[in-house]
Amino acid sequence: MHTTNNFTPEILEKLEALQKKYSAMGQDLSSYLDGLLYADFLTYWDYINLDTLLSLQQPITPYPDEKVFIIYHQITELYFKLSLHEFDRISEAIANSNITPELLLERIRRINRYFEALTNSFDIMVDGMDHGEFLKFRMSLLPASGFQSAQYRKIEICCTSLDRVAHKNHREVFSNYTLDDIPQVFNHLYWREGASELKSGLKTLTLKQFEKKYDEELLELARQSYTSNVRSAAANLVFSDDQSDIKEELKQAMRWLDVNVNINWTLVHYKSAVRYLQRDPEDIAASGGTNWQKYLPPRFQKRIFFPELWSEQELEDWGKGWVKREIFGVK
Ligand code: HEM
């Protein structure tokens, strides 16, 4: 092949394109090429910050299964982060006025995939730790609880309008809330009302600490998501006549998101609480102090992001079939 100064035409073409790119920004290409010359080759471990990542598992008790517990929580938080990354892309598209049914559908499908991975792997918690070890190391972690996962709360806020995350007794009242009403709705979110101590009915320390650290941030997100949560985003889409297929696909993906977050994950998680904490009354102490048997099951919480996509009967039966089948083994 004919070359000039040993450069192939492809390389020369690329150099020209680079020259154009850098001069358009007033930059000197030659200095950047120096940088390339002196830079080390990238390694896998540096690129993904592997040493830092693998240094973050720090048990505080001598029980080996505490490491399983920590790592699985970290894995979950990373999947939550992936989900929030998709929600960011939805709000960006809304802010730039280029939201489309295709874009929303693709983001929701991704989030569904992340939650399916979490639901399918939750047996690592349910069956993968020694019960005796769990009950011991868990006592050293009090009052910390997954309840304090801010990313989980953010996912809920990004999925739907804030009234749908309120305690079920307040949803109706707030169904037409305005931006100004957000602080009021925020005070009645279901988890705030659910986290009261078994005996006294007072706010748990788990909740108080969480509120202190995250209330402001979550309130701000609630304001930002007023028009960019998935429920509002979908309601504001305009479909042309030839888009009935994608309209239906979007509806199915949203229903699946509701099931993934509010039934499937919620129930496999509840299953782990039943597995480890149910056995005798004292075991219940190994939680953040909530009345979790009343609080966690979806059939009591009835968290439903998109009620308009479900029939009366489906709303009525929310989460019930799964509980019978998976937790109590009834066919
Ligand atoms: C053996 C494993 C687990 C047990 C026994 C367990 C137990 C509990 C209990 C009892 C609660 C109620 C709040 C409290 O009293 O502390 C709770 C809440 C919660 N846990 Fe877990 N959990 C486990 C694993 C996980 C994992 C791996 C995650 C992932 C981050 C997680 C995230 C959450 C969240 C987000 C809540 C709040 C749920 C809500 O408000 O509806 N948990 N957990």
Side-chain angles (χ1 to χ4, degrees):
M1 184 186 297
H2 173 74
T3 59
T4 314
N5 298 331
N6 294 328
F7 288 136
T8 61
E10 288 79 17
I11 295 283
L12 286 171
E13 218 173 89
K14 280 192 183 130
L15 276 170
E16 251 171 59
L18 278 171
Q19 175 70 37
K20 245 192 223 160
K21 171 179 167 174
Y22 281 83
S23 66
M25 301 302 284
Q27 301 295 297
D28 173 28
L29 173 62
S30 161
S31 308
Y32 283 88
L33 289 176
D34 275 347
L36 201 55
L37 193 61
Y38 305 136
D40 260 344
F41 287 104
L42 188 62
T43 58
Y44 168 77
W45 52 92
D46 280 340
Y47 180 60
I48 65 157
N49 275 307
L50 192 58
D51 290 348
T52 307
L53 183 66
L54 299 182
S55 71
L56 299 175
Q57 295 69 41
Q58 307 284 352
I60 58 170
T61 72
Y63 300 101
D65 281 359
E66 190 194 343
K67 207 171 236 183
V68 180
F69 190 67
I70 293 176
I71 294 177
Y72 190 73
H73 276 79
Q74 292 178 336
I75 290 169
T76 304
E77 289 291 344
L78 287 175
Y79 274 107
F80 287 170
K81 189 167 182 175
L82 279 172
S83 304
L84 289 169
H85 179 59
E86 301 305 327
F87 288 118
D88 278 350
R89 297 185 67 185
I90 296 171
S91 8
E92 253 170 50
I94 290 174
N96 297 330
S97 307
N98 56 16
I99 182 83
T100 58
E102 288 80 2
L103 187 144
L104 190 59
L105 176 63
E106 172 59 21
R107 305 298 132 203
I108 296 175
R109 281 185 170 158
R110 289 188 186 191
I111 298 164
N112 277 332
R113 239 172 254 133
Y114 305 144
F115 267 84
E116 279 153 35
L118 285 174
T119 304
N120 292 335
S121 62
F122 215 92
D123 278 353
I124 293 170
M125 291 284 93
V126 179
D127 299 322
M129 291 184 296
D130 179 83
H131 188 255
E133 280 190 33
F134 175 84
L135 287 180
K136 290 199 183 83
F137 73 71
R138 185 68 185 84
M139 300 312 281
S140 305
L141 317 182
L142 298 177
S145 164
F147 178 92
Q148 295 174 318
S149 166
Q151 292 206 104
Y152 186 76
R153 305 301 174 205
K154 287 181 182 177
I155 289 171
E156 295 175 328
I157 292 173
C158 292
C159 277
T160 191
S161 51
L162 203 60
D163 57 311
R164 298 305 310 169
V165 195
H167 185 273
K168 59 177 187 281
N169 296 347
H170 299 279
R171 282 175 206 157
E172 192 64 38
V173 190
F174 291 131
S175 60
N176 290 315
Y177 74 105
T178 63
L179 252 181
D180 289 341
D181 298 328
I182 286 182
Q184 215 191 331
V185 187
F186 193 68
N187 280 333
H188 291 287
L189 295 189
Y190 78 94
W191 45 265
R192 209 187 294 281
E193 307 229 336
S196 53
E197 273 168 10
L198 270 174
K199 287 184 189 139
S200 64
L202 297 173
K203 271 187 191 184
T204 58
L205 178 56
T206 308
L207 174 62
K208 284 194 232 163
Q209 287 184 323
F210 181 72
E211 289 179 333
K212 193 166 164 219
K213 179 155 168 66
Y214 288 114
D215 257 9
E216 234 168 82
E217 198 181 319
L218 293 178
L219 190 56
E220 184 48 35
L221 180 69
R223 288 199 181 95
Q224 286 166 10
S225 309
Y226 185 60
T227 50
S228 65
N229 66 74
V230 170
R231 189 178 184 209
S232 311
N236 290 329
L237 283 174
V238 182
F239 294 90
S240 56
D241 288 346
D242 59 353
Q243 283 185 309
S244 58
D245 283 357
I246 191 151
K247 192 173 178 184
E248 182 57 26
E249 283 178 71
L250 185 60
K251 178 180 161 188
Q252 292 311 331
M254 287 171 68
R255 280 164 59 99
W256 199 224
L257 181 63
D258 229 348
V259 169
N260 274 332
V261 181
N262 291 326
I263 299 184
N264 290 352
W265 187 86
T266 315
L267 278 167
V268 277
H269 170 261
Y270 174 61
K271 198 173 171 184
S272 71
V274 172
R275 160 92 169 79
Y276 291 99
L277 306 176
Q278 180 102 313
R279 308 223 163 154
D280 68 65
E282 255 178 50
D283 291 348
I284 295 170
S287 78
T290 58
N291 189 349
W292 60 269
Q293 285 143 315
K294 287 266 151 54
Y295 171 68
L296 289 178
R299 68 185 190 284
F300 298 139
Q301 283 187 349
K302 284 236 166 168
R303 263 164 37 206
I304 303 170
F305 293 150
F306 316 116
E308 57 280 3
L309 304 185
W310 301 98
S311 68
E312 285 299 320
Q313 192 61 48
E314 287 168 329
L315 295 173
E316 180 60 31
D317 292 343
W318 197 253
K320 284 183 189 165
W322 197 101
V323 177
K324 283 193 198 142
R325 204 172 53 247
E326 296 290 323
I327 312 244
F328 301 110
V330 178
K331 296 258 180 238

